[in-house]
Amino acid sequence: MVEQLRLEQIETPEFLDTFYTVLANAIRRNTLQYLLTNPNPVSTDRLALELAAIERELPAEAVTSDHQHDLLLLLTHVHLPALSDAGVVEWDRDCEQVTLTPLLNQLSVTGSAMNGLPELSISTRSETSH
């Protein structure tokens, strides 16, 4: 189970542990990237189709229904629950809709590699940066 990300805990090891857990999987990273570039609610079926296309480097029209279904199962049973528990997406299971929460818009995330090791800096955005 993933812990809920809270801005007031941003400088704690627990926050970073949860943030790294969220980013540790390519499907979750691709989900967040897709939702960041498509801010409107998206159906779980459409999200599965888009992620299958990204994963296979194909246009969405070329994704087979089997590949879409496989991604849909992974999303609904593994990745969307984790993203929802972390508080980065809102997942309406009844309507099968997914949207990003405002949390990621409130964070400033930068990364760099130092001596081959990734370094991540997370802070809250200043009000003047909007």
Side-chain angles (χ1 to χ4, degrees), residues 22-40:
V22 166
L23 298 177
N25 182 276
I27 293 173
R28 290 193 296 268
R29 288 191 305 272
N30 289 338
T31 298
L32 294 176
Q33 183 63 43
Y34 180 81
L35 293 173
L36 282 166
T37 58
N38 298 280
N40 296 323

Side-chain angles (χ1 to χ4, degrees), residues 22 25-31 44-45 47-49 51-53 55-56 65-85 89 91 93 98:
V22 166
N25 182 276
I27 293 173
R28 290 193 296 268
R29 288 191 305 272
N30 289 338
T31 298
T44 53
D45 284 337
L47 183 58
L49 176 67
L51 294 177
E55 187 176 271
R56 289 171 174 71
S65 60
D66 286 343
H67 290 147
Q68 181 182 5
H69 186 296
D70 291 346
L71 243 305
L72 182 61
L73 288 175
L74 284 171
L75 278 172
T76 58
H77 292 284
V78 179
H79 301 296
L80 289 176
L83 292 169
S84 180
D85 288 348
V89 301
W91 175 32
R93 290 178 173 112
V98 181

Side-chain angles (χ1 to χ4, degrees), residues 6-122:
R6 293 187 176 92
L7 286 178
E8 61 270 9
Q9 296 177 327
I10 196 165
E11 298 196 18
T12 66
E14 293 81 11
F15 187 96
L16 282 176
D17 288 346
T18 298
F19 201 75
Y20 278 123
T21 298
V22 166
L23 298 177
N25 182 276
I27 293 173
R28 290 193 296 268
R29 288 191 305 272
N30 289 338
T31 298
L32 294 176
Q33 183 63 43
Y34 180 81
L35 293 173
L36 282 166
T37 58
N38 298 280
N40 296 323
V42 62
S43 72
T44 53
D45 284 337
R46 181 65 189 195
L47 183 58
L49 176 67
E50 296 294 339
L51 294 177
I54 291 168
E55 187 176 271
R56 289 171 174 71
E57 298 180 354
L58 297 170
E61 306 80 42
V63 172
T64 66
S65 60
D66 286 343
H67 290 147
Q68 181 182 5
H69 186 296
D70 291 346
L71 243 305
L72 182 61
L73 288 175
L74 284 171
L75 278 172
T76 58
H77 292 284
V78 179
H79 301 296
L80 289 176
L83 292 169
S84 180
D85 288 348
V88 293
V89 301
E90 290 180 18
W91 175 32
D92 185 331
R93 290 178 173 112
D94 295 329
C95 296
E96 298 182 0
Q97 295 281 309
V98 181
T99 56
L100 243 123
T101 66
L103 180 68
L104 290 183
N105 292 327
Q106 296 173 22
L107 297 177
S108 177
V109 180
T110 57
S112 63
M114 187 172 201
N115 298 328
L117 299 173
E119 182 180 328
L120 184 65
S121 173
I122 304 172

